Amino acid sequence: MKVLAIGASRNIGYFTALKLLKAGNTVVFQLRNISAFDSDAEIKPFVKSGQAKLVKGDALVEDDVRTAWTEANADGLPVDVVLLSVGGTPKFTVSKGFVINPPNLCTTSLLNLLTVIPHDLPTQPRIVAVTSNGVTADSHKNIPCLAKGFYSLISVPHADKLGMEKVIHWSAGWSEDSWKDGAPEPHILPQGWEERLGGKAGWLKSIVVVRPAILTDGEEAAKYKAGEDIPGLWTVSRKDVAHFISNDVLNNWSKWEGKAVSVGY
């Protein structure tokens, strides 16, 4: 299996990619900093052997994403999976809580990816997109009451994740009746984005949205809850989200395809 990993220099994307490499798969990383793994004893052997390929580029730049897609397919073997796990480093502000820069980081990265992937491929790659639990109105209802105070502090990053989910919802042709969150803010999802993606909803055939609970740096326990509309999820380690993606989602694609899946403890 060949995987194009965008946003995988650290955290969920990194841990997922490492698991996939250890399982014998090929991973093409798009990296803003091509030296990101120079001191990484676990990744370096895979780079040296060619099992991991590093492509310089920024997910915020459409041409860079196009280059990553082209490089990933350059050997004539198509990309099987795209892992999109882009995320910024939040900074706390008194007025807005946690913020990211730019505020549309994840939505723009997704738009670039879906613009670059040809819509008429005989077989589309499977896409795993990481957003967050509690982003949509329905998933927010399932958050424990005592956790909602914290979620109010991450409303700015969540606005970006909501933009992602709106793009996916439209592109995958999911029922409009199930979208209850209105239009994302214009600075997140600018007018005319549908035309950029060809103007026709429902073209995206194979995607899973992964919605982690509040993320921690804990170790992998390989014990968590995963499913649609699961109430009461508090936290989850990044390593356990990686375990879920690599061990369950990609190995049981027909079970999860076309779903937005919450994961946590």
Side-chain angles (χ1 to χ4, degrees):
M1 183 169 67
K2 184 195 288 182
V3 181
L4 172 59
I6 300 176
S9 63
R10 57 193 178 95
N11 295 333
I12 293 171
Y14 172 85
F15 296 128
T16 304
L18 186 59
K19 281 182 167 292
L20 294 172
L21 287 167
K22 290 180 176 179
N25 301 291
T26 299
V27 178
V28 180
F29 293 85
Q30 184 193 45
L31 301 168
R32 285 186 299 168
N33 181 3
I34 204 71
S35 62
F37 299 141
D38 282 359
S39 300
D40 191 314
E42 290 200 274
I43 293 286
K44 283 177 70 175
F46 295 110
V47 175
K48 186 176 181 179
S49 70
Q51 192 179 334
K53 183 176 181 179
L54 313 183
V55 180
K56 184 175 177 58
D58 188 336
L60 289 170
V61 179
E62 182 181 329
D63 283 346
D64 285 2
V65 179
R66 182 171 289 105
T67 296
W69 174 258
T70 301
E71 289 291 323
N73 289 279
D75 62 358
L77 299 175
V79 169
D80 300 295
V81 173
V82 180
L83 171 64
L84 183 68
S85 53
V86 173
T89 301
K91 294 183 178 180
F92 182 76
T93 66
V94 175
S95 59
K96 295 183 178 181
F98 290 96
V99 299
I100 57 172
N101 184 36
N104 59 351
L105 169 66
C106 300
T107 301
T108 300
S109 299
L110 175 66
L111 280 172
N112 287 339
L113 174 66
L114 297 187
T115 300
V116 163
I117 295 176
H119 293 191
D120 57 354
L121 288 173
T123 302
Q124 292 183 3
R126 294 175 285 165
I127 299 176
V128 179
V130 180
T131 65
S132 181
N133 198 36
V135 166
T136 63
D138 283 342
S139 66
H140 194 79
K141 292 176 184 177
N142 292 320
I143 295 170
C145 289
L146 292 177
K148 289 185 177 180
F150 174 78
Y151 276 83
S152 68
L153 296 175
I154 56 175
S155 61
V156 172
H158 269 198
D160 187 20
K161 299 290 190 181
L162 184 66
M164 286 184 71
E165 296 233 3
K166 176 59 178 177
V167 171
I168 293 167
H169 197 278
W170 180 86
S171 298
W174 295 349
S175 169
E176 283 300 314
D177 292 338
S178 66
W179 183 261
K180 303 173 183 177
D181 295 271
E185 300 171 46
H187 72 282
I188 299 293
L189 195 56
Q191 187 175 2
W193 63 269
E194 297 98 332
E195 285 70 28
R196 186 179 168 194
L197 297 180
K200 184 178 180 181
W203 67 270
L204 184 61
K205 304 303 181 185
S206 193
I207 190 165
V208 174
V209 176
V210 177
R211 296 172 171 171
I214 297 171
L215 291 165
T216 74
D217 291 325
E219 293 301 315
E220 179 185 305
K223 295 180 180 179
Y224 42 77
K225 297 177 182 178
E228 297 177 287
D229 302 320
I230 297 180
L233 297 179
W234 283 87
T235 64
V236 66
S237 74
R238 292 174 174 85
K239 290 183 178 180
D240 268 335
V241 180
H243 180 276
F244 173 61
I245 294 171
S246 59
N247 289 56
D248 196 341
V249 173
L250 294 179
N251 287 330
N252 299 287
W253 190 257
S254 61
K255 175 182 178 181
W256 301 113
E257 185 179 27
K259 297 179 180 179
V261 186
S262 298
V263 56
Y265 315 130

